[in-house]
Amino acid sequence: MKNIYYKLRIIGCSLLLASFFSCSKDFLNVTPKSDLTTGNAYNTAQDLSNALNGAYTTFYAEYYQWDDVLLGDVRSDNAYAGGGGDAPIVAYDQLNITTSNNRMFNNWSQLYQGVSRCNIILDKIKGINDPALDQNNLRQNIIGQASFLRAFHYFRLVKLYGGVPIELHSNSTDPAVINLARSTETEVYNQIDADLQVALANLPDSYVGGPSENKVRATKGAANALLAKIWAQRSDRDYNKVLQYCNTVIASPAGYSLVSNYADLFDGNHYFSSESILEISFIAGGNQANWGVQLFLAPDDGWQKYCVPSKDLVSDFDAQNDVIRKNASLVFWTVDANGAPIAWGDENWNPCQDPTIGTPFAYKEKHPAGWASGDHPYLLRFDDVVLLKAEAQNELGDLAGALATVNQIRARVSLPNLTATSKADLKTKILNERRLEFAFEGQRWDDLVRAGVCTTVMNGLHEVKYTCANATPSAPISINYNCTNEKWLCPIPQLERDANPKLTQNPGY
């Protein structure tokens, strides 16, 4: 059972993007045609609309349902691998990812498939003269959304692998054309920025379908939020631009704001809120369901789950007396939903399957529903923008402004205002605030890298594991993560390098 995720087949599901001429209810329930490819398949506005629907289905791939969190939280100080010892995920946890790790290949492939879908749309739309494309800004909306999606996938790729090949066109089978060398990190980020500028020029602030449409399709707010994130994350970061784009989101006519109750974001009853900028809208029980939740939670089926909250993270919540976010982010259970004891081996928490010891679970998504959850992962949230603004203000020397901004986030969860004695002091506190705000949302590793402290934090952990003999735990065994700056990036998958001899490998692999 612990290897069940290898047996899962990605279902051909959609992001629920129906015809651009329909109301939001239909928009959320029409399965798109995503198999258009080349030649005469693209002749009409509807063909392009169907292709765009298909482009959004990349958000239903395994990477966005699951691996994004594994790479952001399990790889960091937030979580252990769990799951009973699956080698590729243990490698994430122990920072021992190899070039043959099959999950690396899957992630690379799925993200580039998303890029390819966008490339087809942006290529084909140039040659389609259907008058319907020029009604109600449809042509502009399609260009803007496809450009945004391509930028979003490239952002994930560059964070994972550093400089990657920049593919911007479709339909070639010539190895001399498709086997591209890696661009530099800066070149990739510049292309992301260029795509997002196209998106800004073509996207609306909102659509006629209301929140259930605006939160699952690219908008100006989503493009500005992503621009803030890329200018913070890139090595040649520019905090003036981060502040500019954050302020644009904050002032958006779309009306983004923090919800009053943090727990509402994750209870399954308050999606499409004012705090959501972009989310993946799953529908429980069918082809549009979220199976990833079952891998994080669901003790009822009797096998250990993945992304087990770390003792270091739990201690951090407790040190801040952060009860609200802790209870929304993780849960300890000693019995399952039927009242039966939960008892399985966990080398970090419960090696001897003692049913009196609570077993922790990642809890941002709460409704497994037998591999068919309707829980929505967030891709962009307003609180991220607020904390990025605080980070930018601090880096630009506005200590008082940064404190006022970050304290908005703390007030929402009934924590006292932060104080700080220096820029360095506040940088550390904002980093920690982001840890508690975004636990199990795939952000922690990127935050550690951006702050330049990933190696120090990972090697400074005092985590232990145990073994069990005759129902007695062993003495604690210290975990050494052996982090180096080279491990901030993942290896280029060897299968990709075999197929494309121009691909160089990252240092250290």
Side-chain angles (χ1 to χ4, degrees):
M1 184 62 73
K2 69 183 181 180
N3 290 311
I4 193 165
Y5 70 90
Y6 289 120
K7 302 180 178 69
L8 291 171
R9 182 171 60 87
I10 302 299
I11 299 172
C13 54
S14 78
L15 185 64
L16 323 173
L17 292 174
S19 168
F20 293 100
F21 311 108
S22 64
C23 68
S24 60
K25 180 178 179 182
D26 291 335
F27 175 83
L28 286 173
N29 287 283
V30 176
T31 302
K33 300 177 180 67
S34 59
D35 57 352
L36 298 174
T37 53
T38 59
N40 293 330
Y42 295 89
N43 294 306
T44 68
Q46 189 61 56
D47 291 341
L48 264 296
S49 295
N50 290 338
L52 182 61
N53 297 348
Y56 275 97
T57 65
T58 301
F59 288 144
Y60 286 78
E62 187 170 6
Y63 171 81
Y64 283 107
Q65 286 201 40
W66 195 31
D67 262 61
D68 195 22
V69 175
L70 298 182
L71 288 161
D73 289 275
V74 168
R75 193 161 50 136
S76 77
D77 53 347
N78 275 1
Y80 313 116
D86 288 301
I89 298 174
V90 170
Y92 285 2
D93 183 24
Q94 297 180 354
L95 306 185
N96 190 29
I97 305 172
T98 65
T99 61
S100 61
N101 187 299
N102 67 313
R103 306 203 68 80
M104 283 291 101
F105 175 73
N106 291 342
N107 296 332
W108 177 286
S109 300
Q110 289 167 18
L111 289 168
Y112 266 111
Q113 183 181 50
V115 168
S116 177
R117 289 169 174 167
C118 298
N119 288 344
I120 291 172
I121 294 165
L122 293 169
D123 277 348
K124 294 299 181 181
I125 200 169
K126 300 171 186 175
I128 296 178
N129 296 315
D130 184 347
L133 273 176
D134 298 311
Q135 297 176 12
N136 303 313
N137 296 315
L138 181 55
R139 186 185 298 271
Q140 289 81 3
N141 284 345
I142 292 175
I143 290 171
Q145 290 181 75
S147 298
F148 173 86
L149 292 173
R150 185 166 70 181
F152 200 94
H153 301 321
Y154 270 125
F155 183 44
R156 290 305 204 266
L157 283 162
V158 73
K159 289 189 301 175
L160 283 174
Y161 302 107
V164 294
I166 300 175
E167 297 178 2
L168 299 178
H169 300 289
S170 62
N171 298 338
S172 177
T173 58
D174 182 355
V177 175
I178 62 176
N179 285 346
L180 300 175
R182 298 175 66 182
S183 297
T184 65
E185 181 208 78
T186 298
E187 289 169 337
V188 177
Y189 272 113
N190 287 346
Q191 178 58 47
I192 295 170
D193 181 84
D195 274 342
L196 291 175
Q197 298 305 327
V198 171
L200 280 179
N202 288 279
L203 290 173
D205 289 300
S206 59
Y207 299 95
V208 296
S212 63
E213 186 176 2
N214 295 327
K215 307 301 183 178
V216 300
R217 289 171 61 181
T219 59
K220 284 188 187 295
N224 279 307
L226 188 55
L227 279 161
K229 289 181 73 66
I230 71 161
W231 280 105
Q233 197 68 37
R234 56 191 292 166
S235 297
D236 57 342
R237 57 190 51 88
D238 185 336
Y239 277 108
N240 282 299
K241 289 185 176 181
V242 176
L243 186 59
Q244 169 196 335
Y245 290 118
C246 286
N247 282 335
T248 302
V249 176
I250 292 167
S252 169
Y256 302 113
S257 63
L258 299 177
V259 301
S260 59
N261 183 2
Y262 179 82
D264 285 352
L265 291 165
F266 310 102
D267 68 359
N269 298 315
H270 295 87
Y271 295 125
F272 311 134
S273 72
S274 63
E275 190 161 335
S276 172
I277 298 175
L278 187 65
E279 60 192 75
I280 307 175
S281 180
F282 289 103
I283 294 179
N287 287 349
Q288 297 160 348
N290 180 354
W291 51 258
V293 187
Q294 195 87 12
L295 296 159
F296 295 133
L297 199 56
D300 308 65
D301 52 15
W303 55 280
Q304 186 189 12
K305 300 304 169 175
Y306 298 87
C307 196
V308 176
S310 71
K311 291 183 177 179
D312 187 78
L313 175 63
V314 174
S315 296
D316 207 349
F317 276 117
D318 291 343
Q320 291 286 320
N321 195 29
D322 193 347
V323 177
I324 292 174
R325 288 187 295 200
K326 179 182 177 182
N327 290 342
S329 303
L330 58 90
V331 62
F332 282 82
W333 282 331
T334 57
V335 296
D336 65 21
N338 300 313
I342 296 172
W344 54 56
D346 180 289
E347 65 180 2
N348 303 104
W349 285 96
N350 188 8
C352 297
Q353 303 183 10
D354 182 347
T356 67
I357 297 177
T359 302
F361 297 85
Y363 203 43
K364 282 289 177 67
E365 298 174 42
K366 295 176 169 57
H367 309 96
W371 305 96
S373 174
D375 286 354
H376 295 195
Y378 294 100
L379 297 173
L380 293 167
R381 279 217 321 276
F382 183 69
D383 53 344
D384 192 1
V385 172
V386 173
L387 283 173
L388 281 174
K389 177 179 178 177
E391 183 178 317
Q393 288 172 304
N394 186 53
E395 293 296 326
L396 295 171
D398 182 7
L399 189 68
L403 281 168
T405 301
V406 73
N407 284 332
Q408 296 174 42
I409 300 295
R410 292 177 63 82
R412 197 247 298 261
V413 291
S414 301
L415 292 178
N417 285 345
L418 285 178
T419 59
T421 57
S422 66
K423 175 180 173 181
D425 180 34
L426 185 53
K427 178 178 180 178
T428 299
K429 290 177 177 177
I430 291 173
L431 178 64
N432 192 66
E433 199 67 30
R434 290 185 63 86
R435 183 187 197 187
L436 304 182
E437 185 79 7
F438 301 115
F440 313 122
E441 296 184 59
Q443 298 229 39
R444 177 61 172 171
W445 185 266
D446 295 340
D447 289 348
L448 292 175
V449 168
R450 186 172 69 258
V453 298
C454 191
T455 298
T456 302
V457 167
M458 295 306 297
N459 289 337
L461 289 173
H462 299 290
E463 296 283 5
V464 298
K465 59 183 179 180
Y466 305 86
T467 58
C468 190
N470 300 319
T472 302
S474 69
I477 303 166
S478 295
I479 302 172
N480 188 343
Y481 290 95
N482 294 312
C483 188
T484 65
N485 289 12
E486 293 170 335
K487 293 182 180 181
W488 293 11
L489 295 176
C490 296
I492 304 297
Q494 187 58 45
L495 286 175
E496 287 297 325
R497 297 192 66 216
D498 292 342
N500 179 4
K502 293 182 181 180
L503 284 178
T504 57
Q505 186 55 270
N506 282 326
Y509 296 103

